[in-house]
Amino acid sequence: MTNAADSQGIVYLIGAGPGDPGLITVKGLECIRTADVVVYDRLAGARLLEHCRPDARLVYVGKQPDRHTLTQDEINSLLVKEASGGYTVARLKGGDPFVFGRGGEEAEELVRHGIPFEVVPGITSAIAVPAYAGIPVTHRNHTSTLAIITGNEDPEKENSGIQWSKIATGAGTLVFLMGMGNLPAISKQLIAHGRDPQTPVALIRWGTRPEQRTLTGNLANIAGLAREADFKNPAIIVVGEVVKLRERLRWFEDKPLFGRRILVTRSREQASALSRSIEQLGGEPVEFPTISINEPLDYAPMDEAINRISEYRWIIFTSVNGVKYFFNRLRHLGGDIRDLHGAGICAIGPQTRESLHNLALRVDYVPGEYRAEEIVSGLQNLIKPGDRVLLPRADIARQALPEGLAALGARVDEVTAYRTAAGRGNAPQVTEMLAGGEIDIITFTSSSTVRNFVALLGPGNVPELTGRALTACIGPITAQTARELGLPVHIQAKEYTIDGLLQAILEYNKEN
């Protein structure tokens, strides 16, 4: 973190969007990644904080309708203080900073103190949240006008800043932000000033997130419906004929994993593919890397094997990581794929095979069932006694494969291509989410992810913390480890791949 006494700090007023972390702008994300200090609100989106620098200071100034961690004046002073110290400050606000985000007040304070600032607009919830509920705020067949109104102001106070006589009928679509506490009075004022009581209304809570809920009615009955449903902030109110389009245009809530928050325990390097697929299916991935992938402590055994690579009749790769680290070392030692001529290549599954294909290597054998025992069974007629077999793999891999190959008469050299170590996931955050029932499914893609998950949370805490979540395992070995450590297995992939795991989750979700 930089803090030169004579350096000039700067504040970026960043709109984080309405909740879905994918709705942050490219510039906003870049500011988060480079900031020394990140000052963030309750609605700014926790997953965006994963992009902060490891040494960045995070300051929570969470603001709720009924209580503030810091007052607005205190937040203003904080921004001035940090920037005056030479720091680059990312002020991360939900929605857009200049749409009822009080960003204008913060900017004015920075100007008063001569602090440079930039505004990074965000996608306002007034537009994005209705869109995620299937409601376009404008439509040529319904309305060409839109008004965005604060819902925090008491509609019945004297000297209201809202001209209800003009607002009520002056725009086709009305969007009230954070107005649930005033919903009865808002409806009353709109009807009193000429809006038809049967005008459609939608209430959308936690829009763009897995918790998104939508309640529809009309001006005459919506307050009663909301009371019956205990519908509260954070929510927006949409008034207008466009609400009727929701029944035809709803899309987010119809995705197969909508409403599901899924814990991804793979290493951070590997998690992105699974997380991306979960998001595309409407779920929210929560990355909790319980393992990390590292270089071997000693390269000598692998170097020795590479230097006599021509002696091996078979090279067996049991993971994408094994492929990556083996060929990185091969290149480091000045070799290339031509050195592997004469050796049969085996890959444990389609993803490992694909990583080898990307290196222009033809794979000679992939077992029908993607586990060590099937490799031994499939190679029993191909490996002759005395054949040398190379296994570049993880330091903690099961011994079933080398023992099975040795039983066939092979001379097996098992070398550590990479180390699997305990990850540094945010255990306190995940513990809190599990305890609050905020995690629906926990995914495990290897036995090591299970063991380290239990270690990070504490073996004694696991039964209670995981009791409200489903456990999904990539295959029988991982599932066996989970059961041995006290985790019930609800979902097990039939095909032991990431795609197979997702398919098993989808099938379970559909049937239950």
Side-chain angles (χ1 to χ4, degrees), residues 272-291:
S272 57
L274 178 54
S275 294
R276 238 185 343 261
S277 296
I278 291 169
E279 287 177 331
Q280 289 168 354
L281 293 166
E284 179 183 328
V286 177
E287 294 188 0
F288 180 46
T290 62
I291 61 172

Side-chain angles (χ1 to χ4, degrees), residues 10-142:
I10 186 171
V11 177
Y12 294 96
L13 302 173
I14 305 166
D20 181 342
L23 297 180
I24 185 79
T25 65
V26 173
K27 184 171 182 179
L29 196 59
E30 181 59 28
C31 291
I32 294 169
R33 286 171 172 160
T34 58
D36 298 310
V37 183
V38 179
V39 179
Y40 66 101
D41 282 349
R42 178 177 70 119
L43 301 180
R47 285 183 57 204
L48 293 176
L49 300 179
E50 296 172 4
H51 297 278
C52 296
R53 284 171 20 200
D55 62 336
R57 272 191 294 116
L58 308 184
V59 183
Y60 177 63
V61 294
K63 301 174 69 175
Q64 300 186 38
D66 57 344
R67 63 185 182 277
H68 295 172
T69 301
L70 295 182
T71 66
Q72 187 61 54
D73 285 343
E74 289 171 330
I75 293 172
N76 294 348
S77 297
L78 175 66
L79 298 179
V80 170
K81 175 186 174 184
E82 296 292 354
S84 296
Y87 293 117
T88 296
V89 181
R91 171 67 174 110
L92 195 58
K93 307 165 75 70
D96 180 274
F98 277 12
V99 179
F100 303 122
R102 304 192 73 171
E105 297 171 46
E106 295 174 0
E108 286 181 308
E109 185 72 8
L110 295 170
V111 169
R112 274 193 289 271
H113 288 82
I115 302 294
F117 73 93
E118 291 186 19
V119 179
V120 183
I123 299 176
T124 175
S125 59
I127 296 172
V129 169
Y132 268 57
I135 301 170
V137 290
T138 64
H139 189 288
R140 65 180 298 176
N141 295 330
H142 296 277

Side-chain angles (χ1 to χ4, degrees), residues 81 119 180 231 272 285 291 314 323 353 386 416 431 478 492:
K81 175 186 174 184
V119 179
M180 290 303 302
F231 211 89
S272 57
I291 61 172
W314 281 92
V323 174
R353 176 180 56 196
T416 297
T431 297
T478 303
Q492 182 178 313

Side-chain angles (χ1 to χ4, degrees), residues 260 440-444 463 466-474 479 482-483 486-493 501 504-505 507-509 511-512:
R260 295 289 196 174
D440 299 295
I441 303 173
I442 305 167
T443 61
F444 295 113
T466 60
R468 297 164 69 179
L470 301 172
T471 299
C473 295
I474 200 168
R483 293 188 182 98
L487 284 161
V489 177
H490 306 90
I491 303 168
Q492 182 178 313
L501 179 60
I505 291 172
E507 289 175 2
Y508 184 96
N509 200 52
E511 294 170 3
N512 296 274

Side-chain angles (χ1 to χ4, degrees), residues 86-415:
Y87 293 117
T88 296
V89 181
R91 171 67 174 110
L92 195 58
K93 307 165 75 70
D96 180 274
F98 277 12
V99 179
F100 303 122
R102 304 192 73 171
E105 297 171 46
E106 295 174 0
E108 286 181 308
E109 185 72 8
L110 295 170
V111 169
R112 274 193 289 271
H113 288 82
I115 302 294
F117 73 93
E118 291 186 19
V119 179
V120 183
I123 299 176
T124 175
S125 59
I127 296 172
V129 169
Y132 268 57
I135 301 170
V137 290
T138 64
H139 189 288
R140 65 180 298 176
N141 295 330
H142 296 277
T143 182
S144 299
T145 54
L146 163 69
I148 302 172
I149 309 137
T150 179
N152 279 330
E153 181 181 297
D154 182 356
E156 298 182 336
K157 76 175 185 179
E158 293 184 17
N159 303 317
S160 171
I162 300 173
Q163 298 186 43
W164 291 99
S165 61
K166 294 181 172 60
I167 285 292
T169 57
T173 302
L174 307 178
V175 178
F176 293 86
L177 301 185
M178 303 300 288
M180 290 303 302
N182 291 321
L183 179 60
I186 289 172
S187 299
K188 178 181 175 182
Q189 287 283 17
L190 292 176
I191 294 172
H193 288 89
R195 198 76 178 222
D196 186 342
Q198 298 305 308
T199 302
V201 180
L203 310 179
I204 311 162
R205 186 171 194 266
W206 286 120
T208 79
R209 294 165 48 121
E211 301 96 331
Q212 177 174 305
R213 296 294 178 268
T214 304
L215 179 67
T216 58
N218 56 50
L219 281 176
N221 66 15
I222 194 64
L225 293 174
R227 187 169 51 253
E228 292 171 11
D230 196 26
F231 211 89
K232 298 177 180 178
N233 277 321
I236 73 167
I237 305 164
V238 184
V239 179
E241 295 302 315
V242 290
V243 171
K244 293 179 180 178
L245 295 169
R246 167 175 160 75
E247 290 308 311
R248 294 202 306 274
L249 301 184
R250 56 185 291 172
W251 59 276
F252 182 50
E253 295 158 71
D254 290 341
K255 286 196 169 191
L257 290 182
F258 169 73
R260 295 289 196 174
R261 187 174 279 118
I262 301 175
L263 198 66
V264 177
T265 58
R266 305 186 88 194
S267 68
R268 197 170 296 283
E269 299 84 359
Q270 296 176 300
S272 57
L274 178 54
S275 294
R276 238 185 343 261
S277 296
I278 291 169
E279 287 177 331
Q280 289 168 354
L281 293 166
E284 179 183 328
V286 177
E287 294 188 0
F288 180 46
T290 62
I291 61 172
S292 65
I293 306 301
N294 305 288
E295 295 184 354
L297 293 174
D298 182 8
Y299 269 112
M302 188 157 67
D303 289 353
E304 182 182 349
I306 289 173
N307 288 331
R308 49 188 176 85
I309 198 71
S310 61
E311 298 178 15
Y312 292 103
R313 177 67 185 87
W314 281 92
I315 305 174
I316 301 176
F317 294 98
T318 57
S319 70
V320 171
N321 285 319
V323 174
K324 172 186 172 182
Y325 280 89
F326 175 82
F327 284 98
N328 282 349
R329 196 62 184 175
L330 177 67
R331 282 191 293 270
H332 176 79
L333 296 175
D336 65 29
I337 60 173
R338 290 173 293 183
D339 297 336
L340 275 62
H341 74 280
I345 304 294
C346 172
I348 197 168
Q351 291 172 324
T352 305
R353 176 180 56 196
E354 183 65 22
S355 67
L356 289 162
H357 281 178
N358 290 339
L359 296 170
L361 280 168
R362 184 182 71 248
V363 175
D364 299 288
Y365 177 68
V366 178
E369 189 176 340
Y370 312 135
R371 58 187 196 139
E373 290 81 356
E374 286 300 307
I375 291 178
V376 175
S377 177
L379 293 180
Q380 62 181 342
N381 296 323
L382 299 175
I383 291 180
K384 301 179 177 60
D387 280 351
R388 295 193 78 105
V389 177
L390 178 61
L391 293 182
R393 58 186 195 149
D395 57 330
I396 60 171
R398 292 192 308 133
Q399 290 301 301
L401 182 54
E403 290 174 357
L405 294 170
L408 299 178
R411 298 165 61 192
V412 181
D413 289 338
E414 182 184 7
V415 297

Side-chain angles (χ1 to χ4, degrees), residues 430-439 442 453 457 465-466 468-469:
V430 170
T431 297
E432 184 178 343
M433 295 179 76
L434 286 167
E438 297 178 44
I439 300 294
I442 305 167
F453 172 84
L457 267 60
L465 289 175
T466 60
R468 297 164 69 179

